[in-house]
Amino acid sequence: MSEIAYSVKGAAATTGLSGTVIRDQINSGLIEARYPNSKAIIEHCELVRWVKSLPTDKPEVGR
């Protein structure tokens, strides 16, 4: 059975990103979190939606 929601730490582990990135995306409104208590959870479908909304082109790194 797959998870229906993730903690910030779980979402970070699932996407391979840091918890800081996930929290920043929540704080900027790009990921919608839910709050059953004081800790955020992110629904699986919301995490998938967010990942699919990311650019497909690799950003250029400044020199």
Side-chain angles (χ1 to χ4, degrees), residues 12-42:
T14 299
T15 59
L17 299 169
S18 70
T20 301
V21 169
I22 300 298
R23 284 190 194 286
D24 287 348
Q25 296 294 290
I26 292 169
N27 291 339
S28 63
L30 297 172
I31 294 177
E32 183 178 310
R34 304 214 177 262
Y35 294 88
N37 51 39
S38 63
K39 298 197 184 240
I41 61 170
I42 300 118

Side-chain angles (χ1 to χ4, degrees), residues 42-53:
I42 300 118
E43 291 179 278
H44 176 82
C45 60
E46 174 61 8
L47 199 56
V48 169
R49 183 210 58 79
W50 173 73
V51 168
K52 287 184 175 189
S53 76

